[in-house]
Structure formats: C-alpha cells, structure tokens
Amino acid sequence: MQTLLVIDDETHVFDAFQRNFESPALRVISASSGEEGLEMIVREKPDVVVMDIRLGGMDGLSVLKEIRGRDMRVPVIMISYADMLVRHP
C-alpha cells in the first residue's frame, strides 16, 4: 500500500484529500504543522507529500529545505490554494 502525507494546518484540506484519494491501494495521513510533518516523514516514510506553502510556525518552504537538507528522498508537491479540492454542497 502506498502512503500520501498531507501537511496542512486546515483540516478541511486533509478531509478533501482523504475523501477523494484514499483507496485500498492508497492510505492518506495528515500532519497539521511543518514540524509534525517532518516527524511523520521520518516515522511513516510516505511515498509522496502534499504540503501547503503557508503553514503556521514552520512554513512549507522551510519544511522542504529541511527535507532536502536531511536527504529525505520523498517527492513533494507544494500547494498554495486547495479550496478547489473541497466539494461544497
């Protein structure tokens, strides 16, 4: 099973990724801060990370620099506006 880590401080973004992408072949997990995201990368070893650029505390670009500085080999997709993924009734 593949793992997608969503790092975003807004829970509705994670909810949208989980609702739209989780399947028997893909597990979707979340972190609500950059610091927590780094811990999750080490612990969970996700196959891909989707991360908001604007995070409270450590911003997404700082997290990306830390990932690369630690030579963590994980693809990272940066987003800056994810409301398009949220389906409104």
Side-chain angles (χ1 to χ4, degrees), residues 4 15 25 31 41 51-52 54 56 59 72 82:
L4 165 66
D15 293 341
I41 291 169
M51 178 172 40
D52 192 357
R54 293 177 284 185
D59 69 31
M72 297 175 180

Side-chain angles (χ1 to χ4, degrees), residues 4 6 8 12-21 50 77 79 81-88:
L4 165 66
V6 178
D8 201 301
H12 72 275
V13 174
F14 166 70
D15 293 341
F17 272 94
Q18 188 174 42
R19 183 176 55 251
N20 289 299
F21 297 108
V50 174
I77 300 169
I79 57 174
Y81 189 75
D83 281 343
M84 64 188 169
L85 295 174
V86 180
R87 294 182 184 160
H88 297 281

Side-chain angles (χ1 to χ4, degrees), residues 28-77:
V28 181
I29 59 175
S30 71
S32 60
S33 70
E35 295 85 357
E36 182 185 6
L38 286 171
E39 292 172 14
M40 296 277 295
I41 291 169
V42 170
R43 186 174 63 246
E44 299 290 332
K45 297 184 180 25
D47 298 286
V48 67
V49 174
V50 174
M51 178 172 40
D52 192 357
I53 292 173
R54 293 177 284 185
L55 295 167
M58 185 179 213
D59 69 31
L61 294 176
S62 297
V63 174
L64 180 61
K65 286 179 186 175
E66 187 70 23
I67 290 168
R68 296 302 176 238
R70 293 185 188 185
D71 200 30
M72 297 175 180
R73 302 207 180 261
V74 60
V76 176
I77 300 169

